[in-house]
């Protein structure tokens, strides 16, 4: 397949998909900034906030596999549009929670609404890119996350400071309302921008459509080492092992992401200063993850490119809680964030190499659903330990241990996959 054809596909799909993921991540984690004043206004303790921030992933877990299977049946265009429109409406409704019960309910419903988006995009990319290019492509797509956090952190802080009290609403309420609007508009745009399969791409020439479809089919047959059906995929040992790895990475991603604003605020900064300082780890991650995934594609090596950053990132996270110097703590938190974001894109090349068809739809969704529980465990565990001990260092050490365990499990799975 020619590089020119791949560039044409990428320019058509990736900027739009990245923009969608940008707003998805913003709506998912802006609760971390809202918490700077929302927790006080609603009387939420660290444990209650940690549970509410993470309960999103329980809803996500319940609907993840069915959502991705439906996407494979009805097509990405219609289903991703449905996901984005519904989550934008639920996200906006968070502005009107009045206590812990309504906070828990809206966060749970947000998980239900968004379930299937990320694994759906991962599955969708397998329709357009052969396996040898996927680490770089997924890395480029996932760069939307650190970019979203890097831009969203100061933006969220500015909205909260500038809009506080306008029309009788608190800054955190305006935060939810204003940041939900782009998701609604993009959800509608999905219906007009995305194409379900290469065969239906009117923006490709007939020769390009045929070439791309043949290459994807050839790659599917070449990379499927064993025929795994949907039912087998849901209980396959390697699929379940990958789900546990992703759980560890997600615990690190959301444990850091949903608590970072409060950790940084603890340095004695204003809300606006917190927004800019909290963006630093994500700027570092955005710069490093593309180089790392390209290195993985160039060497065609996946296991080490997942395990090494997970282990080193976990060590950095553990050390970040052992220093009282803000600059040193931020440097270590930046390294921990970089480790997570270097591991995640390459990780998603592993299940897509193992599974195809409906098995890929169900298996990828299962991995993302079970692994996504790490998004519940990470924030809740930090909140529970912080509430019980009053210390962030012990909480960060617990998350670090989970990340390191994920890296070690990746090495064990690599041996099993090579034997297979």
């Amino acid at each position: 397949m020619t590089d020119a054809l791949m560039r044409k596909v990428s320019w058509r799909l990736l900027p739009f998909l990245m923009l969608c993921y940008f707003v998805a991540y913003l709506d998912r984690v802006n609760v971390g900034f809202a918490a700077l004043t929302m927790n006080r206004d609603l009387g939420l303790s660290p444990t209650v906030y940690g549970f509410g921030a993470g309960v999103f992933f329980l809803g996500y877990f319940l609907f993840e596999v069915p959502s991705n299977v439906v996407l494979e049946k009805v097509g990405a265009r219609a289903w991703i549009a449905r996901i984005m429109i519904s989550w934008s409406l639920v996200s906006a409704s968070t502005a009107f929670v009045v206590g812990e019960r309504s906070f828990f309910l809206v966060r749970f419903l947000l998980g239900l609404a968004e379930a299937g988006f990320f694994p759906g995009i991962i599955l969708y990319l397998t329709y357009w890119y052969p396996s040898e290019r996927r680490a770089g492509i997924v890395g480029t797509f996932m760069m939307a996350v650190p970019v979203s956090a890097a831009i969203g952190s100061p933006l969220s802080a500015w909205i909260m400071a500038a809009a506080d009290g306008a029309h009788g609403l608190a800054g955190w309420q305006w935060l939810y309302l204003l940041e939900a609007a782009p998701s609604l508009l993009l959800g509608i745009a999905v219906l007009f921008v995305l194409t379900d399969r290469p065969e239906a791409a009117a923006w490709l020439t007939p020769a390009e459509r045929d070439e791309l479809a043949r290459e994807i089919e050839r790659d599917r047959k070449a990379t499927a080492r064993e025929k795994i059906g949907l039912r087998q995929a849901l209980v396959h040992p390697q699929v379940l092992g990958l789900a546990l790895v992703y759980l560890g990475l997600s615990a690190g991603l959301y444990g850091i992401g949903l608590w970072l604003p409060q950790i940084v605020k603890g340095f004695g900064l204003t809300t606006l200063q917190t927004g800019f300082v909290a963006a630093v780890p994500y700027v570092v991650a955005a710069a490093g993850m593309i180089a790392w995934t390209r290195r993985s594609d160039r060497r065609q090596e996946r296991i080490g490119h997942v395990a090494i950053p997970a282990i080193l990132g976990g060590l950095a996270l553990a050390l970040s809680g052992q220093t009282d110097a803000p600059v040193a703590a931020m440097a270590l938190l930046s390294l921990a964030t970089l480790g997570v974001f270097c591991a995640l894109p390459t990780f998603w090349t592993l299940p897509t190499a193992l599974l195809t068809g409906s098995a890929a739809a169900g298996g990828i969704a299962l991995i993302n659903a079970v692994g996504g529980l790490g998004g519940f465990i990470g924030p809740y565990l930090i909140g529970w330990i912080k509430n019980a001990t009053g210390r962030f260092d012990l909480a960060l050490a617990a998350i670090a241990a989970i990340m390191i365990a994920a890296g070690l499990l990746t090495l064990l799975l690599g041996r099993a996959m090579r034997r297979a």
Side-chain angles (χ1 to χ4, degrees):
M1 189 185 306
T2 65
D3 290 340
L5 176 55
M6 285 288 89
R7 281 194 298 271
K8 187 174 183 179
V9 170
S10 295
W11 278 112
R12 171 73 185 198
L13 299 179
L14 281 181
F16 182 74
L17 292 176
M18 290 175 69
L19 185 59
C20 291
Y21 198 27
F22 177 101
V23 299
Y25 191 77
L26 194 61
D27 286 345
R28 185 184 298 186
V29 302
N30 58 11
V31 66
F33 270 94
L36 296 177
T37 56
M38 179 186 70
N39 288 1
R40 180 198 62 216
D41 291 350
L42 301 182
L44 306 181
S45 71
T47 301
V48 168
Y49 164 72
F51 182 86
V55 79
F56 166 94
F57 294 95
L58 296 184
Y60 204 77
F61 170 79
L62 291 175
F63 200 50
E64 188 81 330
V65 173
S67 179
N68 224 36
V69 172
V70 171
L71 181 145
E72 207 240 341
K73 300 295 184 184
V74 306
R77 186 175 63 91
W79 197 244
I80 290 175
R82 192 284 305 164
I83 289 172
M84 295 190 68
I85 292 169
S86 61
W87 101 50
S88 69
L89 298 176
V90 176
S91 182
S93 71
T94 315
F96 305 106
V97 299
V98 295
E100 63 181 65
R101 290 185 180 180
S102 56
F103 179 51
F104 293 164
L105 176 62
V106 171
R107 289 291 294 177
F108 179 79
L109 292 177
L110 184 62
L112 283 180
E114 195 182 320
F117 175 77
F118 177 76
I121 297 297
I122 295 298
L123 178 64
Y124 181 67
L125 291 174
T126 68
Y127 302 157
W128 296 90
Y129 295 96
S131 58
E132 67 267 14
R133 297 177 184 260
R134 283 182 199 151
I137 293 300
V138 174
T140 301
F141 166 66
M142 291 190 68
M143 192 173 68
V145 173
V147 170
S148 176
I151 296 174
S153 293
L155 175 64
S156 298
W158 177 80
I159 290 173
M160 288 180 62
D164 189 37
H167 300 285
L169 297 178
W172 61 268
Q173 293 176 298
W174 280 112
L175 175 67
Y176 288 123
L177 291 172
L178 294 177
E179 291 187 348
S183 301
L184 178 62
L185 298 176
L186 285 170
I188 297 170
V190 164
L191 295 170
F192 302 95
V193 176
L194 290 192
T195 306
D196 284 330
R197 299 272 187 165
E199 296 86 343
W203 42 273
L204 294 175
T205 67
E208 289 171 334
R209 289 196 293 269
D210 291 343
E211 179 186 356
L212 184 55
R214 284 196 307 269
E215 177 62 21
I216 295 301
E217 179 61 19
R218 182 205 61 78
D219 181 74
R220 185 191 66 79
K221 292 178 178 178
T223 57
R225 294 179 175 84
E226 55 179 310
K227 185 174 179 60
I228 302 175
L230 174 59
R231 290 185 179 180
Q232 295 98 317
L234 298 181
V235 295
H236 195 281
Q238 291 176 19
V239 172
L240 297 178
L242 289 171
L244 291 177
V245 171
Y246 190 54
L247 186 149
L249 297 177
S250 294
L253 174 65
Y254 292 104
I256 297 171
L258 294 176
W259 280 98
L260 185 62
Q262 294 184 62
I263 294 173
V264 173
K265 189 75 156 53
F267 298 154
L269 305 179
T270 66
T271 297
L272 192 57
Q273 290 170 335
T274 296
F276 283 98
V277 174
V280 171
Y282 298 101
V283 174
V284 173
M289 67 186 295
I290 294 299
W292 189 251
T293 54
R294 287 179 177 172
R295 184 178 187 272
S296 175
D297 274 346
R298 188 169 61 251
R299 299 196 175 197
Q300 286 297 292
E301 198 286 325
R302 310 304 191 190
I303 298 299
H305 281 77
V306 176
I308 291 172
I311 293 170
L312 295 181
L315 292 173
L317 184 61
L319 291 173
S320 71
Q322 304 304 312
T323 177
D324 294 325
V327 174
M330 285 305 301
L332 289 165
L333 285 168
S334 296
L335 290 175
T337 305
L338 175 64
V340 172
F341 279 104
C342 283
L344 280 170
T346 308
F347 167 83
W348 284 108
T349 65
L350 301 177
T352 56
L354 181 67
L355 305 167
T356 59
S358 62
I364 291 170
L366 177 70
I367 290 168
N368 198 59
V370 174
L373 290 177
F376 168 75
I377 293 171
Y380 180 63
L381 187 59
I382 289 178
W384 180 77
I385 295 175
K386 175 68 166 60
N387 207 52
T389 67
R391 296 169 59 180
F392 266 123
D393 59 334
L394 296 178
L396 295 178
I399 302 303
I402 296 174
M403 287 177 58
I404 293 170
L408 296 175
L409 178 57
T410 302
L411 295 175
L412 293 176
L413 283 172
R415 293 178 61 185
M417 294 175 75
R418 281 192 292 270
R419 286 196 301 267

